[in-house]
Amino acid sequence: MDIATIIGIVAAFGLMLMAILQGGGLGMFIDVPSMLIVFGGTIGVALINYPLADILGAVKVAKKTFLYQETSTNDLITQLIEFANKARKEGILSLQALIDSVDDQFLVKALQMAVDGQEPEDLKTMLNTEIEYIQDRHSKGAEIFLSLGTISPAMGMVGTLIGLVQMLQNMSDPSSIGPAMAVALLTTFYGAVIANILCNPMAGKLKTRSKSELLQKTIIVEGMGSILSGENPRIMEQKLHAFVAPSERESSFN
């Protein structure tokens, strides 16, 4: 679980709630018509803009902002070096026994392809193609959340205009001015909260997660290609360290 995302959401909503309670009750910020305009309108416009399957897919991708467990790049490189040493001493087929102990499904696929006798270039081509489609799916998820972050303030503005029209049409009735003004202001408030506390930050976190995940998959592709080519593990490590900042590199060789 990504503790940073949880802390960020709790802090943002918690501080906002404290500010609201300092100035009065929470009830004055709850308005059903405003919620219908912003939440319902945002979902409706998103469904117009994207197929239903893409919207549901974005919800699944959004789980990465909460449930993503990142693997250390250095640990991954160390694991690949261990595979290289074993393949160099016992042959490439010896990696078959290690497949069940690997959690990363992309690495499992790469190992299985290596054991099945794929040529290094063919393995790289097939895995790089899969990486491209993974990147497309991740990009689409982040794009949808960015769109939601754009749509929700726009729907808030629509609600503001509705509230102002209602208020201006009933200026002769003082009792109707308050509810109409509440709709006008709260829709803008809801739209701003959805965009700036949820959708836009989640899109940013998804982009960061995608870059990290794709980097590790690229390391797997390069590492497995080196293993199939029979490359010296020390040289292979130097090649893979090119993907890691110099200050963060850890060598398996003393």
Side-chain angles (χ1 to χ4, degrees), residues 83 85-99 115:
F83 293 164
N85 285 322
K86 186 174 182 63
R88 194 174 175 86
K89 295 176 182 177
E90 304 174 25
I92 197 70
L93 292 178
S94 64
L95 299 180
Q96 177 72 55
L98 302 176
I99 292 179
V115 170

Side-chain angles (χ1 to χ4, degrees), residues 30-203:
I30 299 176
D31 185 79
V32 175
S34 298
M35 291 181 179
L36 292 175
I37 292 170
V38 178
F39 290 95
T42 299
I43 293 172
V45 173
L47 289 173
I48 295 171
N49 200 26
Y50 297 98
L52 179 60
D54 288 350
I55 298 294
L56 297 177
V59 173
K60 294 179 181 179
V61 171
K63 293 179 181 178
K64 289 183 177 291
T65 61
F66 297 96
L67 304 177
Y68 184 78
Q69 186 173 0
E70 187 172 0
T71 303
S72 168
T73 301
N74 281 310
D75 289 346
L76 176 60
I77 293 175
T78 299
Q79 187 178 34
L80 289 170
I81 296 299
E82 291 174 356
F83 293 164
N85 285 322
K86 186 174 182 63
R88 194 174 175 86
K89 295 176 182 177
E90 304 174 25
I92 197 70
L93 292 178
S94 64
L95 299 180
Q96 177 72 55
L98 302 176
I99 292 179
D100 291 339
S101 64
V102 176
D103 295 326
D104 189 322
Q105 292 304 308
F106 188 81
L107 181 53
V108 168
K109 182 175 183 178
L111 284 170
Q112 190 63 61
M113 291 172 65
V115 170
D116 290 342
Q118 286 284 352
E119 293 296 323
E121 290 306 316
D122 292 337
L123 179 142
K124 284 186 175 183
T125 299
M126 295 174 67
L127 292 180
N128 281 328
T129 299
E130 183 166 341
I131 287 176
E132 289 177 6
Y133 281 98
I134 291 172
Q135 185 174 15
D136 287 341
R137 291 196 296 272
H138 289 181
S139 297
K140 183 176 291 184
E143 177 190 331
I144 289 174
F145 278 97
L146 282 175
S147 295
L148 292 175
T150 302
I151 294 168
S152 54
M155 294 308 302
M157 183 58 65
V158 169
T160 297
L161 295 175
I162 291 172
L164 290 175
V165 169
Q166 292 175 340
M167 184 182 69
L168 293 174
Q169 286 186 339
N170 295 281
M171 291 294 288
S172 59
D173 182 9
S175 64
S176 66
I177 295 176
M181 197 62 185
V183 172
L185 296 178
L186 287 176
T187 49
T188 300
F189 172 72
Y190 293 151
V193 168
I194 294 173
N196 297 300
I197 297 183
L198 294 176
C199 294
N200 290 338
M202 288 178 71

